[in-house]
Amino acid sequence: MTVDYTKPYQPPPQQPPPPAPPGYPPPSKSSGCLKLLGIGCVVVMLASIAFVAGVFYFVFHLIKSSEVYQEGLHRAQQNAEVQAALGTPIEPGWWVMGNVNLNDDGGHANIHYPIEGPKGKAEVHVIASRSRSQWVYDTITVEPDATHRKIDLTR
């Protein structure tokens, strides 16, 4: 077999697909419904995630702005024993556990949150009750991770 290299390559002609047998409908084109359904599911999922994140942010912000949280953090930051264990500056962590309940002139709070300094980390635990618009602190303790010995800040 000889090949003539002077002419450009011509691929062999392709035959069209055979026609559909009689009685079968022609293939339909996609309407895009599945694509829209997929996009809708992704949008709903992202909106749900944003909603849950917003609720967490709102609840954490409310607890962190409470007088009970602020007083516990202030006492921990000003205490010489806590400063010696954690170093300075002492900064709060972002996670808060517990609850703060307020009603009319009363209420109750029981919260835990982490703090940390250059030398280590600790957990703050505050239990307080409110009567006649004033908080009474039953317990304010700091437990450094290194010593696991509670430092009482109740006064």
Side-chain angles (χ1 to χ4, degrees), residues 94-118:
W94 65 275
W95 190 259
V96 180
M97 294 180 290
N99 57 48
V100 177
N101 298 317
L102 295 174
N103 54 29
D104 296 332
D105 287 340
H108 180 76
N110 183 354
I111 57 175
H112 299 266
Y113 55 93
I115 58 174
E116 65 181 281

Side-chain angles (χ1 to χ4, degrees), residues 63 69 95-99 110-114 123-127 141 150:
I63 292 176
Y69 177 92
W95 190 259
V96 180
M97 294 180 290
N99 57 48
N110 183 354
I111 57 175
H112 299 266
Y113 55 93
E123 182 81 20
V124 178
H125 184 202
V126 181
I127 299 174
T141 59
K150 291 184 179 180

Side-chain angles (χ1 to χ4, degrees), residues 46-133:
L46 290 176
S48 299
I49 290 170
F51 176 76
V52 170
V55 168
F56 269 96
Y57 175 78
F58 180 72
V59 170
F60 281 15
H61 178 71
L62 281 178
I63 292 176
K64 285 184 172 188
S65 64
S66 72
E67 185 179 335
V68 174
Y69 177 92
Q70 295 295 326
E71 181 65 22
L73 179 61
H74 177 72
R75 288 188 189 185
Q77 289 174 328
Q78 301 304 316
N79 185 277
E81 196 174 349
V82 175
Q83 288 177 352
L86 303 180
T88 56
I90 296 172
E91 298 293 330
W94 65 275
W95 190 259
V96 180
M97 294 180 290
N99 57 48
V100 177
N101 298 317
L102 295 174
N103 54 29
D104 296 332
D105 287 340
H108 180 76
N110 183 354
I111 57 175
H112 299 266
Y113 55 93
I115 58 174
E116 65 181 281
K119 294 181 182 178
K121 298 179 181 183
E123 182 81 20
V124 178
H125 184 202
V126 181
I127 299 174
S129 55
R130 182 179 170 133
S131 63
R132 289 184 240 136
S133 301

